[in-house]
Amino acid sequence: ARRCYVTTSTGKSLQFKLDERTAHSSLDLFKKNTGVIYRVLGLDPSQVQDNPERFRDWAVVLGDEKISSGRHYWEVTVKKSQEFRLGVAEALTSREDCVGTNSSSWVFGYAQRKWSAMTNNKIVPVTLVGKPDRVGILLDYDAGLLGLVDTGKPAVLHSIRASFKGPLCPAFALWDGELLTHSDVEEPEGLK
């Protein structure tokens, strides 16, 4: 099982749950919409309420809060997952694309035992990161920065620079396992 702990700091805390309206039919939410499990077969799409906010082709779910300023941090504990993506997407990102493949989403992906930074279908290898048990995501909206954080050091391992224009939501994609989100974890000292 993959577990994901999502937290924020500095100023007013960002508290969110996973937005069921955006969840692909292969993703089941649980624990009051703080966790998500990937189901190989998933739900029959015809049995899921038709909703223009739902991702149709990719196993993606967004958080239910929109971020348009400030510095935010969350952590992800990963277990028994070999392929996933963690990051942010514009609230109005296309529901036909996977996060990381368009110009309105920025993610760190893990697949084939390797990390990469992904946006607009550009993939940049991220080195010196092994199979994670726990990583952090640092978003500084105003500075245009999304960072992958080694929670053990703590240190930013890789950064994606962007000009964020619209409100962003935490974004998660997974193709096996599960994740569990938790709000309100403090950003580690020394990441500034």
Side-chain angles (χ1 to χ4, degrees), residues 103-122:
S103 61
S104 60
S105 59
W106 302 264
V107 297
F108 295 101
Y110 184 82
Q112 299 174 339
R113 293 186 265 189
K114 294 178 183 167
W115 280 97
S116 57
M118 309 170 78
T119 188
N120 206 17
N121 248 355
K122 293 181 185 149

Side-chain angles (χ1 to χ4, degrees), residues 3-184:
R3 307 220 178 274
C4 173
Y5 303 99
V6 177
T7 61
T8 66
S9 67
T10 64
K12 193 171 95 175
S13 288
L14 174 74
Q15 294 190 15
F16 69 88
K17 295 187 177 193
L18 300 173
D19 188 348
E20 189 169 14
R21 296 170 303 167
T22 67
H24 183 268
S25 61
S26 66
L27 301 177
D28 282 346
L29 304 187
F30 66 99
K31 286 200 176 185
K32 298 182 180 177
N33 291 354
T34 61
V36 60
I37 295 176
Y38 178 80
R39 304 282 187 201
V40 175
L41 295 176
L43 302 173
D44 177 348
S46 66
Q47 301 300 310
V48 177
Q49 182 179 356
D50 191 24
N51 181 335
E53 295 181 60
R54 186 175 307 286
F55 282 86
R56 289 175 272 292
D57 298 324
W58 299 96
V60 174
V61 62
L62 300 179
D64 66 358
E65 290 294 323
K66 295 174 179 64
I67 304 164
S68 55
S69 66
R71 188 174 170 103
H72 305 277
Y73 175 79
W74 56 92
E75 291 185 357
V76 182
T77 297
V78 181
K79 294 185 180 177
K80 294 187 181 173
S81 177
Q82 298 302 316
E83 189 171 1
F84 55 89
R85 294 179 186 177
L86 311 167
V88 295
E90 289 181 1
L92 298 176
T93 194
S94 168
R95 300 313 197 247
E96 303 297 327
D97 299 332
C98 190
V99 291
T101 63
N102 57 31
S103 61
S104 60
S105 59
W106 302 264
V107 297
F108 295 101
Y110 184 82
Q112 299 174 339
R113 293 186 265 189
K114 294 178 183 167
W115 280 97
S116 57
M118 309 170 78
T119 188
N120 206 17
N121 248 355
K122 293 181 185 149
I123 300 172
V124 176
V126 175
T127 57
L128 304 175
V129 186
K131 174 72 167 94
D133 290 323
R134 189 170 178 127
V135 296
I137 300 291
L138 175 65
L139 170 65
D140 190 330
Y141 187 99
D142 304 315
L145 172 100
L146 183 71
L148 179 65
V149 176
D150 179 337
T151 59
K153 291 197 168 119
V156 176
L157 297 167
H158 192 88
S159 298
I160 298 172
R161 295 272 178 196
S163 295
F164 302 126
K165 292 177 178 58
L168 303 177
C169 299
F172 306 91
L174 67 156
W175 290 273
D176 60 0
E178 70 179 61
L179 59 83
L180 182 62
T181 65
H182 298 278
S183 296
D184 270 343

